[in-house]
Amino acid sequence: MGTLHNELEAEAAKYLEEFNYDLETLENLILRLAHSNNDRAKLTNILRLAHSLKGSAGSYGFHLLSTLFHRMEDHLVVLDFTNSSLTDTIDTLLKFKDDLESVFCAYKNKDHSLLEKFQIKLGLQEKQADLSPQEDHEKPYRILLVETSKVIVSSIITTLQDFNIEISTLKDGYEALGRLLKEKFDLLIIGGQVSTIDAANLIEILKILPNANQDIAMVVLSSSKDKFSNLASHKLHILEKGPLLRQDLLVLLKHVPLKKVNLLKEDFHQRPLSLWVLDDSVEIHKLIDISFKKFPHVHITHFETAAMVEEKIKTEAPDLILLDVQMPEINGDELFKNLKAKGLLRDRKVAFLTGTDEPQEINKLRLLNPFAILKKPFSPKTLPQELFELLDQGEKLPQVS
Amino acid sequence: MAAKNLVVIDSDLEEIVPAFIAKRKIELTLINDAISQQNFDLLMSIGHKLKGNAGGYGFDQLSEYGSQLEIGAKQKDLTTINEAFSLISDYLNDLSIEYKRVD
């Protein structure tokens, strides 16, 4: 037994000796990217090397190295969906390489304190006492995205690419469970019907098994909100897969505890705001008045016909116009097109308020590139917050080309 | 005696809910007349509004019935329309509201 242990230790030491060459190879591959003219094949080479080194580091018991390679792989997969510049890509990959080098040295010198710091930094250890506020702030917000549809994955990644977020993508519930049992994530976004272990079962398993993610915020993506409505809670949100997913996700990200992602200004929560509401139902006007009762900085002007808006917009400039879609005579979307055609909209923001559930109808509205599409019925409790957040995020809202 | 349909509503809405419900009760006659005249456009419009407005006032079930009325009218399906009408009517007649502060 003792001999076997010694042999394994000797093998591990040999592995560490050779690891230096692996790091050199990795660095060379990364630096060569600079002359690659954004050649995807070069990225694939790095991905392959990271994948192979991840396996060998893990099998020799160097789990921190293995985890770092895994994160590097995650990053390379996500890169496929984004339009990151080559400089940013090289920069990030070199940072991974630097971390790998530090961890390698820590293993070699048996520097347990540095190894522990990396354990915490990578979310493999809960205790955070040793992290300085600066180090804690630099820890990226980690999302595990489990979804089979490439379109949905791409849509989510591109929506989140401007935030300081680290995304790991997987297609399968079983693999996701493996990662969740080992590493700490801040948010789990999971397709309702992913294979092997579906969202509902994975959530149940996470509650039972000891792991660092028992308190994790979750988003279940579903083709129908009702399917998972029984799971919904303050920590678990259900988002519908569909044309509004990106918008809904941006709104939701303001509600989950995203301290490190809060990069956006929040001045619309206080700044005077002129809001116009066009709806043929007086009950909606009353509900909107009640919704904004606690926000005296919001000045609301009500309109019951499209003609009234068309006249007033010639002389006044609101910050935001809420347009009901289905109305007698002129619909909200028709008015929007008219105002645009006449050059009366300029940079005024228009959001549609619609009661339709038809994806085709929502898609039609989306193609008009409004500022946002809000669904009826809306909650008077959450409407103001939702609007302020959309206004804060303003330019970040996805546009259809 | 039939059990009351108790709905808890945020007290912030207390000043606008009674008028909303009163209007819905008056609307029952309008729906009934529209059914007799097979005025599907009007039924669709009433259903659509009910679906979009009732939920915001805290009456989610009524919103569902509105959706059913809208779908029935779209399909010109009198069975669905009549069923939705009786559900709306029963809901409003049995309704009892309790206002509570919701944070």
Side-chain angles (χ1 to χ4, degrees), chain B residues 11-86:
Chain B
S11 48
D12 280 353
L13 302 178
E14 196 167 354
E15 61 184 279
I16 58 170
V17 162
F20 175 78
I21 291 300
K23 273 193 184 170
R24 299 294 74 75
K25 285 184 177 170
I26 294 167
E27 206 168 58
L28 288 174
T29 320
L30 192 64
I31 299 175
N32 199 21
D33 291 349
I35 293 173
S36 318
Q37 294 156 12
Q38 301 203 2
N39 186 342
F40 296 113
D41 285 343
L42 181 58
L43 289 167
M44 207 188 324
S45 165
I46 294 172
H48 182 78
K49 276 214 167 63
L50 193 55
K51 178 179 80 171
N53 296 3
Y57 278 75
F59 303 101
D60 295 338
Q61 195 58 54
L62 193 57
S63 182
E64 285 294 318
Y65 299 152
S67 171
Q68 193 175 330
L69 181 64
E70 185 188 14
I71 291 168
K74 239 182 220 173
Q75 296 167 347
K76 300 188 174 165
D77 172 1
L78 278 171
T79 313
T80 306
I81 292 170
N82 278 315
E83 197 187 344
F85 174 59
S86 92

Side-chain angles (χ1 to χ4, degrees), chain A residues 280-281 283 293 355 381, chain B residues 10 15 49 51 53 57 102:
Chain A
D280 61 314
S281 164
E283 279 144 9
K293 210 176 173 180
K381 278 269 175 236
Chain B
D10 188 340
E15 61 184 279
K49 276 214 167 63
K51 178 179 80 171
N53 296 3
Y57 278 75
V102 181

Side-chain angles (χ1 to χ4, degrees), chain A residues 277-336:
Chain A
V277 182
L278 168 63
D279 200 300
D280 61 314
S281 164
V282 74
E283 279 144 9
I284 290 295
H285 291 293
K286 283 184 184 170
L287 203 54
I288 286 182
D289 276 341
I290 292 272
S291 306
F292 286 93
K293 210 176 173 180
K294 290 175 188 152
F295 302 94
H297 67 288
V298 180
H299 178 75
I300 304 171
T301 312
H302 297 283
F303 301 88
E304 282 175 34
T305 66
M308 288 163 75
V309 173
E310 207 165 334
E311 193 49 41
K312 189 131 180 158
I313 205 166
K314 289 174 187 163
T315 52
E316 284 185 34
D319 293 300
L320 177 68
I321 310 174
L322 277 185
L323 290 185
D324 181 27
V325 175
Q326 198 166 320
M327 286 192 303
E329 295 174 27
I330 302 175
N331 280 345
D333 51 335
E334 286 171 52
L335 173 67
F336 180 71

Side-chain angles (χ1 to χ4, degrees), chain A residues 344-369:
Chain A
L344 290 170
L345 268 187
R346 291 188 281 276
D347 56 354
R348 282 154 204 167
K349 295 180 170 69
V350 174
F352 289 123
L353 201 51
T354 176
T356 187
D357 295 319
E358 304 282 332
Q360 302 98 308
E361 291 300 314
I362 294 174
N363 261 329
K364 260 199 236 164
L365 295 176
R366 215 179 144 233
L367 286 169
L368 297 173
N369 269 339

Side-chain angles (χ1 to χ4, degrees), chain A residues 71 122-126 142-144 175-188 202-218 235-236:
Chain A
R71 301 280 167 89
L122 294 172
L124 302 173
Q125 193 175 314
E126 271 288 347
R142 300 198 67 220
I143 294 180
L144 180 62
E175 276 184 84
L177 179 62
R179 294 287 296 264
L180 287 161
L181 292 180
K182 271 198 295 190
E183 302 167 39
K184 173 97 179 93
F185 288 90
D186 296 292
L187 175 68
L188 168 66
L202 186 67
I203 290 162
E204 282 309 307
I205 295 170
L206 280 181
K207 278 187 208 160
I208 300 163
L209 293 180
N211 66 84
N213 295 296
Q214 273 180 334
D215 211 24
I216 191 171
M218 287 182 259
K235 280 262 172 197
L236 196 151

